[in-house]
Amino acid sequence: SEIVEVQPQLARTHADREDTALLQFRTDRGVIAQINTNWVTPYKARILQVATRQKFVVADLMTRQVSEYFDYAPDGSYSTRMLHTWPAEPLKAELSAFLASVRNRTPPPVTGEDGLANLEVALRCLEAA
């Protein structure tokens, strides 16, 4: 779905450019997404969290561990399971897929139009801040 609203909070903590960002988006279907990122922390963290009506999923893209929380009970208890992880490092897999599309002259998994749409959202965040 399309992003219809951006609510960015940007800061210049240690640089002459934005190095800390809390970005919130709303899609045309009412989904809210949030990105919290910075260049300040001394460690890498790439964690994806997804909340739905039935479950909450946490994927650590650095360790490739996925946890799923579900079956919420009125007493606050819930079930948990670890899901199978993927063998390839996600950013490396993304670059490899792009190179394969260039070498094989096939459409890339993420198109130039997708990249342009993402750039437009990023620019909207800078303008709104």
Side-chain angles (χ1 to χ4, degrees):
S1 55
E2 297 295 320
I3 293 174
V4 295
E5 182 181 355
V6 296
Q7 295 178 343
Q9 298 293 323
L10 306 176
R12 296 176 180 184
T13 308
H14 292 292
D16 292 335
R17 58 168 168 69
E18 293 79 5
D19 56 10
T20 303
L22 174 59
L23 311 172
Q24 186 167 299
F25 309 98
R26 182 179 305 276
T27 71
D28 57 2
R29 295 182 184 172
V31 173
I32 294 174
Q34 179 178 318
I35 298 172
N36 186 353
T37 186
N38 70 72
W39 292 91
V40 179
T41 53
Y43 59 88
K44 288 185 197 177
R46 292 191 184 107
I47 298 173
L48 176 67
Q49 299 176 329
V50 178
T52 71
R53 287 189 175 104
Q54 290 81 26
K55 61 181 75 173
F56 184 72
V57 179
V58 178
D60 185 326
L61 303 181
M62 298 294 291
T63 64
R64 302 178 201 142
Q65 297 295 312
V66 180
S67 302
E68 182 180 43
Y69 305 88
F70 56 99
D71 288 341
Y72 301 108
D75 67 358
S77 65
Y78 53 87
S79 297
T80 304
R81 81 174 138 220
M82 297 299 289
L83 302 175
H84 295 289
T85 60
W86 53 96
E89 198 278 323
L91 295 177
K92 183 177 180 179
E94 181 180 315
L95 292 172
S96 295
F98 175 75
L99 288 174
S101 71
V102 171
R103 289 181 181 128
N104 301 325
R105 300 178 191 261
T106 57
V110 178
T111 67
E113 289 82 10
D114 295 331
L116 182 59
N118 287 326
L119 178 59
E120 288 171 349
V121 170
L123 292 173
R124 283 174 51 197
C125 289
L126 287 173
E127 292 167 2

